[in-house]
Amino acid sequence: MTTLERRIALAFAVGFALSQSAAAQAGHFPWRAGDKPPRLAGFWLGERLDSARTAIKGAIVADTLGRVPSVAYSYSTADHSLSVLGTPAGGVAIITVRQRDLAAVGGVRVGDRCAEVLKRWGKPQKSDAVVAMWIAGKWLVSAHCDKQGIVSGLSVGNVA
């Protein structure tokens, strides 16, 4: 099977799984609009960006996004297993983990099977063949699924 055929098969399988009715999936997302977002890897949404940067241990890869006056900053560990993105004015806007032992969100960790996440949390409000998003008002949790159907990244972020 070629890489393209595998991607098409994965897109079909994930799309099919995500299209199943919420009633057919036993789980439900553990947060609702108005709930406080969970802490992820020791960080909170809205936390001061400079304090988040200093809390990241070890070497940091820094990047800027956008232009003044709305420039955003991204700070990641050298291996990119943890990333924090935000603005000086708004604080931390997105927290992403890509390593299992860094954090769990509502019982879900990097390395879990994407199908198990759907059973636990039910159908996401938004999704494509790779990323599923569960929205709780002004913030969301996203799970990135790799070609093998395994969670390769988890994020908590503000809804734009």
Side-chain angles (χ1 to χ4, degrees), residues 34-113:
D35 287 348
K36 184 176 181 179
R39 188 173 181 163
L40 183 60
F43 300 96
W44 293 101
L45 293 180
E47 175 180 345
R48 288 176 45 109
L49 191 57
D50 59 347
S51 70
R53 183 198 184 290
T54 59
I56 297 175
K57 306 293 184 224
I60 295 174
V61 177
D63 198 5
T64 57
L65 307 160
R67 297 184 181 163
V68 174
S70 59
V71 68
Y73 297 92
S74 172
Y75 302 113
S76 301
T77 55
D79 64 358
H80 295 280
S81 61
L82 170 66
S83 298
V84 177
L85 182 133
T87 64
V92 173
I94 302 171
I95 309 153
T96 301
V97 295
R98 296 177 192 88
Q99 187 174 309
R100 184 172 183 82
D101 63 345
L102 287 178
V105 178
V108 173
R109 291 183 175 275
V110 169
D112 290 353
R113 298 191 89 32

Side-chain angles (χ1 to χ4, degrees), residues 99-100 103-118 120-121 143-146 148-154:
Q99 187 174 309
R100 184 172 183 82
V105 178
V108 173
R109 291 183 175 275
V110 169
D112 290 353
R113 298 191 89 32
C114 296
E116 293 301 315
V117 178
L118 292 175
R120 178 182 289 270
W121 287 350
H144 184 277
C145 293
D146 67 15
Q148 290 76 38
I150 304 295
V151 175
S152 60
L154 283 171

Side-chain angles (χ1 to χ4, degrees), residues 17-22 25 27-29 118 121-127 133-134:
L18 294 177
S19 69
Q20 299 301 304
S21 72
Q25 298 175 17
H28 68 279
F29 188 58
L118 292 175
W121 287 350
K123 184 179 177 184
Q125 284 90 342
K126 295 191 178 206
S127 63
M133 292 184 278
W134 291 265

Side-chain angles (χ1 to χ4, degrees), residues 2-20:
T2 69
T3 301
L4 178 60
E5 289 170 329
R6 281 194 300 266
R7 285 186 179 177
I8 291 170
L10 175 64
F12 177 77
V14 171
F16 177 76
L18 294 177
S19 69
Q20 299 301 304

